[in-house]
Amino acid sequence: MLSLDPLGPEWDCPLGSKDLEEEEGPWGGGSGLPPPGSFSGSWRHDVGLDCKGSLEGAEARAWTTYYYSLLQSCLQQAGLPETQDRSQVPRTGCPGAEVTLCILGSPSTFLSVLLEGGVQSPGNMLLCLSPAWLTKVPAPGQPGEAVLLVSKAVSFHPGGLTFLEDFVPPRRATYFLAGLGLGPGRGREAAELARDLTCPTGASAELARLLEDRLLTRRLLAQQGGVAVPATLAFTYKPPALLRGGDASPGVRLVELSGKEGQEALVKEEVGAFLHSGALGDALQVAVKLSGWRWRGRQALRVYPRVELGTVVDTVLALLEKLEEEESVLVEAVCPPARLPFPGSPPPGPELAVRICAVVCRTQGDRPLLSKVVCSVGRQDRPLRHRSSLPQTLEVALARCGLGETGQVAVVRQRVKTAAEAALAAVLALEAGLSAEQRGGRRARTDFLGLDFALTVAGRALTPVALELNGGLCLEACGALEGLWAAQHPRSAAEDAAAAPLVETMLRRSAHCLMEGKQLLLIGAGGVSKKFVWEAARDYGLKLHLVESDPNHFASQLVQTFIHFDVTEHRRDEENARLLAELVRARGLQLDGCFSYWDDCLVLTALLCQELGLPCSPPAAMRLAKQKSCTQLHLLRCQGPPWPAPSLHAVPCCPLESEADVEKAVHQVPLPGVMKLEFGAGAVGVRLVEDAPQCHEHFSRVARDLQGEADHPGIGLGWGNAMLLMEFVEGTEHDVDLVLFGGRLLAAFVSDNGPTRLPGFTETAACMPTGLAPEQEAQLVQAAFRCCLGCGLLDGVFNVELKLTGAGPKLIEINPRMGGFYLRDWILELYGVDLLLAAAMVACGLRPALPTHPRARGHLVGVMCLMSQHLQVLNSTSSRETLQGLHDQGLLRFNLLEEILEQGLSLFLQSTG
């Protein structure tokens, strides 16, 4: 049988099913000295745990020492090295210019998060073992808010390496997560530190107080999330505003009391009706308990047979005397455990109880994502609580109870996933309606939940019933399971880390914190396909100043400053850069960075950054990447060392400026070949040529039809209409989008392109993530990286187009800006990484806050729709309005690339999976 905390009347013990209630010591709100140490290890004890400038009493120092020993014990059991003390030589950093993820709490609770943070953001995940290691100082220009500074911490690095470090000057937290408590002790200190910070926080005392109200959360989950909860009768005294009125919740009856005395008749009537109602189903027992944050870990759990009306009524009346305002007494069904295998007879031997524990995290776009399910198994006739048995996977736990059929286990997992994600969605919706004061600060959010489930039978279906919300203990259980795997299967454990989505959210919110209020100069606004820029800038709090040739561009009304300047004549880029620098200085703009995502403006942007002393790749590198023949010919000469050299990926080509150049090129470049504009974009002017006559014909056509910017704006004709002929290589086509900082590769995203429509190489379809084998994917990433380095592109977001041939990757071209069309949208959707924000951070000289190994959350497959090929269907069932409606429903992704009257509609449709 499966149940959670199945207690009979003989069990009258402190509540153990909730993480904060089970936690002893200061983080749970307790006080006094730490428990006697049960640690055994040979680690050093003469480490510098005192923080300069902060005084701790004997009791506080004892707790700091206790948690340091607990950390060493956790590391020891995980097979990881002892923490090295580097506090004698303070570390220097760049306060306000680096990611700092800070956790204040028990090492055993947060170990999985800390280790994952050490992998995803080495050296930036910090554990503080004492509130004295942190300081709050008023935030300049932000009344009522404070900056959180870290003077001392344990830093985490790949391989589980940890270092005890002092920071001079202190590091400025960009994300804070604390073990909270509302009673005396360190929990209260942590709560005070977390309140009203300028940096994002993953929890607050105010939010914890709401989520620790069992009645409030149970009603919220049932009413807003559609999550199954135990049948509950609640007697509440002066309930909080969030519980007043509203629609009835399935399975939850709320009785508001006018007072705590003289309620005997009402209680007897309500309890009697509840115990005899069909809402209890097959439940044979009910539990009576107090609800409210004040009772966390301070009451006994009482379970009675359903038939004992008098005993239940007496217990409720006795507990009513203890109530204060906004507290409740709950009578709830003890979910009858499901007999497994289901259907059929139970296996011989003692019946087993299983606790199902789920961790669900907030991800990109505030979408919940189940990250891990962990179970524990024990005898049904004994109470089963966290830490009372070894954690197991759902598959193993159900198999031990007799349910081993793969399909049935998958159904259970999917139902747990649906319920857990619905629970977090309901909590996030609740928080969205709260004020900053009610949340504990402008940036306070709940970024993860832990939930305990019982598995019962409803309508002849195995159904997970959410008993309560948990945070620390569920996270700890997941970390313990990963620790069991780590020694034998380190790769598997790393790839399935429960804390991975949470750490990615920490990094994403840190990036927003670092960039809020940054002043950025943007060169070139782009067209309709770049509308997302202005929405993203608003959401991130960026202050954009725009330089644009079109005085009537719609974006002129969406920026802080609009500078009308003709940037289309690129032969004058150096002169224009000097003129723009003078305009910037004359207007008194105090810029943090300058960047562009528009092909035509990349060299001008690099020159302007040079004039203004702002970070950017060198102008020479931008020129080299911009001119396609120069890119290939330069890389052909880069033959190493080191090896493999970029020359392995370059393709022979010849620049073409005249008919004579064409005649010369056809004898040097093997045909068939590809002719394209030297500075072109969007595949305009690209053509497969089979022989010399086709080469001459195409050159003449382009020379006649594409002479200047007015002939086809935005494709690079401001640079001239010179062409090149390059060898045509067979193979599959791929895009690799890279993020580089200081010549280091921070992230890479590979997508597969469908066969292009010849002879013009028009894109037809794409998918992400790549379907290639890991070795081939790595070849593409390294080829793209080496080609960028070979051209001198060290800082920025770059899009590299390659073909994977039998001899390895071959370069098509480098676009020294973020990928166009749908790529930014797809990468954001799948990986939660925004290339626009990464480019803006690099432009400000900030290392982008990116996970080291981003994980795709699904698959996208898309098709390019062109007026020349899809006019009929776009004018019928797949109208623009229909497609936009499906996009809004999340059924497909709809990217409008351009809208030109003569050409109609170009778009990219993607289906998700």
Side-chain angles (χ1 to χ4, degrees):
M1 294 194 293
L2 280 82
S3 62
L4 187 140
D5 291 340
L7 302 176
E10 69 274 21
W11 293 101
D12 190 41
C13 56
L15 273 174
S17 57
K18 193 168 184 183
D19 54 336
L20 294 177
E21 292 172 341
E22 284 192 85
E23 225 171 14
E24 297 181 355
W27 303 115
S31 58
L33 293 172
S38 58
F39 313 121
S40 58
S42 57
W43 55 81
R44 293 182 56 182
H45 297 274
D46 58 337
V47 293
L49 297 178
D50 292 332
C51 185
K52 295 178 181 178
S54 298
L55 297 178
E56 284 188 304
E59 180 182 309
R61 284 198 302 273
W63 277 109
T64 303
T65 302
Y66 169 81
Y67 280 119
Y68 182 80
S69 293
L70 177 58
L71 172 62
Q72 301 314 306
S73 181
C74 291
L75 294 173
Q76 181 187 61
Q77 292 187 26
L80 300 174
E82 175 185 350
T83 299
Q84 298 180 37
D85 186 358
R86 300 199 303 200
S87 60
Q88 300 305 312
V89 181
R91 314 289 287 181
T92 59
C94 304
E98 59 190 348
V99 170
T100 300
L101 312 176
C102 179
I103 290 181
L104 174 64
S106 170
S108 62
T109 299
F110 293 108
L111 186 65
S112 62
V113 183
L114 295 163
L115 293 174
E116 179 66 18
V119 172
Q120 292 201 35
S121 189
N124 296 323
M125 176 62 80
L126 306 181
L127 170 65
C128 289
L129 300 173
S130 168
W133 295 6
L134 295 156
T135 308
K136 280 176 76 171
V137 298
Q142 296 174 274
E145 294 189 339
V147 173
L148 186 65
L149 302 178
V150 185
S151 298
K152 191 182 195 73
V154 177
S155 64
F156 283 73
H157 300 258
L161 295 177
T162 55
F163 301 94
L164 180 64
E165 302 187 297
D166 282 5
F167 302 106
V168 179
R171 290 183 67 158
R172 180 173 176 173
T174 59
Y175 185 94
F176 184 55
L177 180 61
L180 300 172
L182 301 172
R186 287 191 169 189
R188 171 168 286 180
E189 291 183 72
E192 290 300 323
L193 285 170
R195 184 172 290 113
D196 294 322
L197 294 177
T198 57
C199 72
T201 60
S204 70
E206 288 75 8
L207 292 176
R209 184 167 181 164
L210 292 176
L211 299 182
E212 287 163 14
D213 187 327
R214 197 186 308 254
L215 174 59
L216 174 62
T217 55
R218 186 162 292 178
R219 182 176 176 182
L220 176 69
L221 266 57
Q223 192 175 68
Q224 303 298 326
V227 179
V229 299
T232 303
L233 172 65
F235 297 95
T236 180
Y237 176 59
K238 294 185 179 180
L242 291 172
L243 281 174
R244 295 178 201 150
D247 299 330
S249 303
V252 180
R253 173 164 175 74
L254 182 64
V255 180
E256 294 188 28
L257 302 178
S258 57
K260 294 184 288 184
E261 299 178 354
Q263 304 293 337
E264 291 83 357
L266 175 62
V267 169
K268 184 174 182 179
E269 178 185 353
E270 290 286 349
V271 171
F274 179 70
L275 294 181
H276 291 90
S277 71
L280 271 69
D282 297 330
L284 300 177
Q285 295 176 308
V286 292
V288 185
K289 60 187 70 172
L290 288 158
S291 174
W293 65 267
R294 192 167 63 94
W295 296 103
R296 179 187 60 205
R298 300 178 187 175
Q299 62 173 320
L301 175 64
R302 300 164 178 86
V303 178
Y304 305 101
R306 179 178 175 178
V307 296
E308 294 186 3
L309 171 63
T311 306
V312 175
V313 170
D314 291 343
T315 303
V316 171
L317 292 172
L319 293 179
L320 284 180
E321 299 178 3
K322 301 180 180 182
L323 288 188
E324 293 185 0
E325 292 184 9
E326 302 188 350
E327 295 180 344
S328 309
V329 176
L330 306 184
V331 182
E332 65 179 50
V334 175
C335 295
R339 290 184 177 274
L340 296 178
F342 175 80
S345 301
E351 293 183 354
L352 298 177
V354 175
R355 172 191 294 271
I356 300 179
C357 168
V359 171
V360 58
C361 303
R362 176 204 298 260
T363 63
Q364 168 65 32
D366 291 342
R367 285 173 292 189
L369 176 69
L370 178 72
S371 62
K372 182 156 290 212
V373 176
V374 172
C375 301
S376 54
V377 180
R379 290 174 62 104
Q380 186 272 339
D381 57 350
R382 297 176 183 175
L384 179 63
R385 298 188 293 271
H386 282 285
R387 301 173 175 168
S388 65
S389 64
L390 288 175
Q392 303 177 24
T393 64
L394 180 66
E395 290 75 11
V396 170
L398 294 183
R400 288 191 61 187
C401 297
L403 186 67
E405 202 278 316
T406 304
Q408 290 180 312
V409 174
V411 169
V412 173
R413 178 178 292 278
Q414 182 58 44
R415 289 173 181 166
V416 171
K417 173 181 171 66
T418 300
E421 292 179 353
L424 180 55
V427 170
L428 298 184
L430 170 68
E431 292 181 6
L434 301 178
S435 66
E437 182 180 2
Q438 290 173 314
R439 293 197 309 272
R442 177 172 58 96
R443 292 183 175 273
R445 299 287 190 277
T446 296
D447 284 334
F448 80 100
L449 286 180
L451 296 99
D452 279 322
F453 290 96
L455 195 63
T456 189
V457 177
R460 293 196 56 78
L462 288 173
T463 303
V465 177
L467 299 178
E468 53 195 345
L469 303 185
N470 275 318
L473 287 178
C474 284
L475 198 60
E476 182 180 71
C478 291
L481 179 62
E482 291 165 9
L484 293 174
W485 276 88
Q488 299 299 323
H489 307 281
R491 180 177 297 276
S492 175
E495 292 174 352
D496 195 30
L502 175 57
V503 174
E504 290 172 11
T505 295
M506 292 176 168
L507 289 169
R508 183 164 48 251
R509 295 187 67 192
S510 288
H512 298 177
C513 174
L514 287 170
M515 291 301 291
E516 185 179 33
K518 293 296 186 191
Q519 306 279 339
L520 284 145
L521 185 64
L522 183 59
I523 312 299
V528 67
S529 65
K530 296 299 186 289
K531 279 188 175 180
F532 66 82
V533 170
W534 321 110
E535 299 172 1
R538 180 196 63 227
D539 294 342
Y540 296 146
L542 303 180
K543 308 298 184 184
L544 294 186
H545 309 272
L546 176 61
V547 176
E548 168 58 37
S549 301
D550 180 5
N552 300 314
H553 197 285
F554 69 87
S556 63
Q557 305 300 313
L558 304 176
V559 293
Q560 304 293 310
T561 305
F562 180 72
I563 300 176
H564 174 227
F565 191 95
D566 184 6
V567 296
T568 60
E569 183 47 70
H570 299 293
R571 297 180 182 91
R572 301 176 57 188
D573 273 350
E574 292 190 3
E575 177 186 349
N576 287 339
R578 290 191 293 270
L579 293 174
L580 280 172
E582 293 174 4
L583 285 174
V584 167
R585 296 187 186 104
R587 294 189 179 221
L589 301 182
Q590 302 297 313
L591 300 176
D592 296 295
C594 171
F595 75 115
S596 179
Y597 46 73
W598 200 241
D599 276 293
D600 273 11
C601 301
L602 299 174
V603 175
L604 173 62
T605 301
L607 290 166
L608 180 56
C609 287
Q610 191 176 66
E611 289 284 337
L612 296 173
L614 296 172
C616 188
S617 287
M622 285 293 192
R623 284 196 182 97
L624 192 59
K626 180 62 182 169
Q627 189 168 357
K628 296 176 176 59
S629 66
C630 289
T631 305
Q632 299 283 5
L633 296 174
H634 173 77
L635 292 176
L636 282 170
R637 294 191 293 268
C638 295
Q639 299 183 3
W643 190 88
S647 60
L648 292 176
H649 312 298
V651 178
C653 66
C654 283
L656 309 174
E657 294 187 3
S658 65
E659 290 283 358
D661 291 335
V662 176
E663 185 61 32
K664 179 181 177 182
V666 296
H667 293 94
Q668 295 182 356
V669 176
L671 296 179
V674 180
M675 290 186 70
K676 59 174 73 175
L677 289 166
E678 276 278 24
F679 305 96
V684 177
V686 183
R687 188 172 183 86
L688 178 69
V689 287
E690 303 280 355
D691 51 35
Q694 286 188 9
C695 292
H696 285 285
E697 179 186 355
H698 187 58
F699 182 85
S700 299
R701 184 185 303 115
V702 169
R704 181 185 67 246
D705 297 339
L706 299 176
Q707 297 184 16
E709 184 71 15
D711 293 324
H712 202 307
I715 65 162
L717 292 175
W719 294 88
N721 64 350
M723 301 189 72
L724 75 150
L725 174 65
M726 62 184 295
E727 181 181 343
F728 175 71
V729 292
E730 294 281 0
T732 55
E733 190 170 325
H734 307 270
D735 278 70
V736 182
D737 289 273
L738 306 172
V739 181
L740 272 63
F741 187 76
R744 301 286 181 180
L745 178 62
L746 302 188
F749 307 93
V750 180
S751 55
D752 303 335
N753 296 331
T756 52
R757 187 175 287 111
L758 298 177
F761 292 94
T762 306
E763 187 166 0
T764 59
C767 70
M768 182 183 279
T770 177
L772 295 172
E775 180 180 345
Q776 294 174 311
E777 180 182 12
Q779 288 178 355
L780 286 169
V781 169
Q782 287 303 309
F785 180 40
R786 285 193 291 267
C787 287
C788 286
L789 293 183
C791 290
L793 298 172
L794 305 180
D795 296 279
V797 176
F798 308 119
N799 170 259
V800 184
E801 300 175 29
L802 301 118
K803 275 194 172 182
L804 186 60
T805 73
K810 295 294 183 182
L811 176 67
I812 299 175
E813 62 189 44
I814 297 175
N815 300 304
R817 39 80 181 161
M818 72 174 179
F821 288 2
Y822 50 87
L823 285 168
R824 179 261 181 183
D825 178 59
W826 280 26
I827 292 168
L828 182 60
E829 172 72 15
L830 290 176
Y831 298 94
V833 172
D834 191 344
L835 293 184
L836 175 66
L837 184 62
M841 293 189 76
V842 174
C844 293
L846 300 178
R847 181 187 175 97
L850 303 177
T852 304
H853 303 291
R855 299 166 175 85
R857 304 299 182 201
H859 293 80
L860 285 171
V861 178
V863 59
M864 176 74 77
C865 299
L866 302 174
M867 294 305 295
S868 60
Q869 303 291 325
H870 304 90
L871 178 60
Q872 182 177 353
V873 69
L874 291 174
N875 284 332
S876 57
T877 56
S878 295
S879 67
R880 175 176 173 180
E881 292 72 23
T882 301
L883 296 172
Q884 186 63 55
L886 293 171
H887 173 91
D888 294 340
Q889 296 175 49
L891 299 177
L892 57 74
R893 301 202 64 77
F894 169 66
N895 292 96
L896 185 64
L897 305 184
E898 58 181 336
E899 197 168 16
I900 303 173
L901 292 178
E902 308 93 271
Q903 298 181 358
L905 182 70
S906 293
L907 52 95
F908 212 95
L909 301 180
Q910 311 106 60
S911 63
T912 60

